[in-house]
Amino acid sequence: MGSDVTMQCGSLDNDASVSWKVNGTDVKAQHRLEGPRLILTQVDLSHNGLYSCFQNPHGERRDTILLHIGIPPREPTVTCRSNTYPKGFYCSWHQLHSTYIPTTFEVDVQHNQRSLEVQKDSVHKNRCHVRFPEVFSSFPYKVNVTAVNALGKAFSTISFEESSIVKPDPPERVTATPIRFNPRRLEVSWHSPATWPDIDNFPLKYFLRYRPLIREQWQHVELSDSTSHTITDAYAGKEYIIQVAAKDTEIGTWSDWSVAVHATPWIEDPLPITSTTEVDFPTETKTSPIPSSNAPQKAEPPVGRAARVLTFFSPLLLGMLLLFMWSMHVC
């Protein structure tokens, strides 16, 4: 990129007259012709393409050239880490700047003056895996990664002690549960990372951090090999964010933080509200029998209480009146 490119049309003589096309169209980029040669100046990515040359005057095609513009590789950035200690470690690398053309990488790992077997990762193309030849080795490891493409090569070399690259993956399945009748407590539990192969012989310790969403400052608790902890100083009724990290108890560095979980301490349920609304009791309703005739029914006049009393005492009054009149007649 940025240089001049000269393309020769086959083996034609210097005095041959030719014309050029790129991707089937005339060459419009800045260029010049010198006999059977096409010279492009200060090329960039826009010059990529399939160039064809044709001999004049009949226009017979003599050659095709596929042009890729790129840059030589630079020293790759290399890092190594063991998340499966003491089983092995992996190394990964990348270019800080794209080369724009295919670039491959060659990896060599040395330990105690011998080369170790390197296994390429099936998913990550810029990663390889190496098994530890021994544990608690005092000899350093030396990793060389060389980047190679059609324009050149460059390499990087790093050295490290076994203990310095041990870094577990974050703890998994972190949960936080409120404790009933305890408005300031949260029960937090988690599992060790599944990639850590021997938790019994190579135990992990843990680092817990938590804070309410209303504050920016974290509170921290370092634990030995326990996979649970009870938070006792939570703010009542406030939502908390909680994360956990892991580390080998003796060597290496802390893992990244686990996926954050959210939880709120136990909140007492409010007392039910008692209703004071007056209750209407249902009343019994009697229905009259359906008349057999469609004719309107004559309504009976209502009988009052006085009428009912008079009706009850009428025979008695009549008897007393007749007795009185008979006595007057006798006299």
Side-chain angles (χ1 to χ4, degrees):
M1 188 176 297
S3 64
D4 295 345
V5 175
T6 300
M7 289 180 279
Q8 168 74 29
C9 184
S11 57
L12 295 180
D13 296 334
N14 290 337
D15 58 354
S17 175
V18 300
S19 61
W20 288 84
K21 291 184 179 296
V22 56
N23 298 327
T25 63
D26 294 336
V27 178
K28 298 180 181 180
Q30 184 177 356
H31 68 281
R32 67 178 186 270
L33 296 174
E34 293 183 359
R37 290 178 291 277
L38 171 66
I39 301 174
L40 303 175
T41 57
Q42 297 182 342
V43 295
D44 56 30
L45 296 179
S46 67
H47 291 85
N48 285 335
L50 182 64
Y51 290 78
S52 303
C53 62
F54 303 87
Q55 187 173 9
N56 298 325
H58 303 292
E60 182 181 357
R61 187 168 64 181
R62 291 294 186 177
D63 203 359
T64 57
I65 300 172
L66 184 61
L67 179 64
H68 287 289
I69 306 300
I71 60 175
R74 300 181 184 180
E75 296 179 359
T77 300
V78 183
T79 58
C80 296
R81 173 191 167 203
S82 176
N83 63 336
T84 58
Y85 188 78
K87 184 178 179 181
F89 64 93
Y90 69 86
C91 296
S92 56
W93 53 88
H94 67 276
Q95 290 271 299
L96 294 177
H97 304 280
S98 175
T99 62
Y100 305 107
I101 57 177
T103 301
T104 60
F105 297 90
E106 301 169 354
V107 183
D108 179 65
V109 180
Q110 299 280 333
H111 177 258
N112 194 16
Q113 299 182 346
R114 68 186 183 97
S115 294
L116 302 181
E117 181 181 356
V118 176
Q119 182 179 2
K120 291 185 177 181
D121 192 285
S122 58
V123 177
H124 305 281
K125 65 177 183 179
N126 289 356
R127 179 181 292 185
C128 68
H129 298 267
V130 182
R131 296 187 66 87
F132 283 118
E134 55 183 297
V135 183
F136 310 126
S137 173
S138 60
F139 294 100
Y141 290 82
K142 182 179 179 181
V143 178
N144 180 283
V145 179
T146 304
V148 182
N149 67 20
L151 298 177
K153 62 173 60 179
F155 68 89
S156 294
T157 301
I158 63 171
S159 297
F160 52 83
E161 301 289 337
E162 169 188 315
S163 59
S164 66
I165 63 169
V166 176
K167 181 182 177 180
D169 288 329
E172 302 173 355
R173 292 178 280 170
V174 181
T175 60
T177 307
I179 301 176
R180 189 170 175 81
F181 304 121
N182 288 273
R184 299 199 63 190
R185 297 193 173 200
L186 287 169
E187 183 69 27
V188 185
S189 63
W190 58 89
H191 290 76
S192 60
T195 51
W196 197 254
D198 192 353
I199 192 69
D200 294 327
N201 293 315
F202 295 88
L204 297 175
K205 60 181 180 180
Y206 301 96
F207 204 57
L208 172 71
R209 73 174 185 178
Y210 59 96
R211 66 174 176 85
L213 293 183
I214 60 174
R215 299 187 62 181
E216 295 294 332
Q217 184 177 2
W218 293 93
Q219 294 171 273
H220 300 86
V221 179
E222 185 170 343
L223 306 166
S224 54
D225 57 352
S226 174
T227 56
S228 65
H229 177 72
T230 302
I231 297 174
T232 60
D233 56 354
Y235 289 109
K238 302 300 181 182
E239 182 179 355
Y240 271 73
I241 180 171
I242 301 163
Q243 292 178 290
V244 187
K247 180 186 176 299
D248 183 273
T249 55
E250 296 183 4
I251 60 175
T253 58
W254 287 99
S255 72
D256 295 332
W257 291 107
S258 64
V259 176
V261 297
H262 293 250
T264 303
W266 175 82
I267 302 176
E268 184 178 3
D269 295 332
L271 295 175
I273 300 175
T274 303
S275 175
T276 58
T277 304
E278 194 173 303
V279 178
D280 292 331
F281 292 95
T283 58
E284 182 179 0
T285 302
K286 294 185 178 180
T287 59
S288 301
I290 300 176
S292 59
S293 172
N294 292 329
Q297 300 298 305
K298 184 177 180 180
E300 293 287 339
V303 178
R305 180 181 299 176
R308 289 195 296 268
V309 172
L310 182 59
T311 302
F312 176 78
F313 285 103
S314 292
L316 179 60
L317 291 175
L318 182 58
M320 292 177 66
L321 181 60
L322 292 176
L323 181 60
F324 175 75
M325 292 177 65
W326 178 79
S327 63
M328 290 297 291
H329 178 70
V330 173
C331 295

